[in-house]
Amino acid sequence: MAKVFRPSTRESSILSKIESGKEHARKIAISAVKEHIEELANAISMKLIENRFVETLSKNSLQEQIYQCLDRMTQADDFQIDYQCASVRGVAAHPNIVSLYVTAFIIEQLIQHKDVIDIFGSDEDIYQCVHQQVNRFLPA
């Protein structure tokens, strides 16, 4: 018969604090997007074009798509955000939820936009590019 593991009260308390800390950081990051949404959308779109990860017909169209992605994220519930990020969750050891959400959007949905010619680079490269810009505007 298999041994049943039952964590003690102390272990449960520690695990609960870790999870609540992660959840708190996630909520702070998402709410901070609202304050910097315009600058963040501009910075991400510019860096994607500069690094030649996205080839597009219109930089303004790309910026508008990133803006709409960030706006949807601020209004989405936890399930919708987790569902969007599921395919790229393993791209970083401790991923930032905003960077992860935008990376998933770029890889899965932006490629189908009429003004986007092609998307280059690996998932990790795109994540790092997006994450650098997110770190500039959002608290760590």
Side-chain angles (χ1 to χ4, degrees), residues 53-107:
F53 288 129
V54 176
E55 186 177 348
T56 183
L57 299 173
S58 169
K59 185 264 180 195
N60 291 336
S61 177
L62 176 63
Q63 181 178 345
E64 180 63 28
Q65 291 299 309
I66 300 291
Y67 180 92
Q68 289 175 2
C69 167
L70 291 168
D71 188 48
R72 275 192 305 273
M73 185 179 120
T74 62
Q75 299 172 12
D77 63 15
D78 289 342
F79 175 79
Q80 291 169 326
I81 292 172
D82 288 341
Y83 184 78
Q84 173 77 25
C85 298
S87 64
V88 293
R89 184 150 316 272
V91 80
H94 300 287
N96 178 298
I97 191 66
V98 177
S99 303
L100 204 60
Y101 189 88
V102 174
T103 301
F105 170 77
I106 292 167
I107 294 167

Side-chain angles (χ1 to χ4, degrees), residues 44-45 47-48 53-55 62 65-66 69 72 84 88 98-113 116 118-123 125-127 129-131:
I44 291 171
S45 59
K47 196 52 87 169
L48 287 170
F53 288 129
V54 176
E55 186 177 348
L62 176 63
Q65 291 299 309
I66 300 291
C69 167
R72 275 192 305 273
Q84 173 77 25
V88 293
V98 177
S99 303
L100 204 60
Y101 189 88
V102 174
T103 301
F105 170 77
I106 292 167
I107 294 167
E108 296 174 0
Q109 296 173 7
L110 189 64
I111 193 144
Q112 298 169 3
H113 191 265
V116 173
D118 205 355
I119 295 178
F120 303 97
S122 68
D123 297 354
D125 294 337
I126 294 171
Y127 174 83
C129 178
V130 170
H131 189 62

Side-chain angles (χ1 to χ4, degrees), residues 36 39-40 43-44 47 130-139:
H36 304 285
E39 301 93 3
L40 190 56
I44 291 171
K47 196 52 87 169
V130 170
H131 189 62
Q132 287 174 352
Q133 300 312 307
V134 168
N135 277 342
R136 287 181 49 212
F137 293 98
L138 302 182

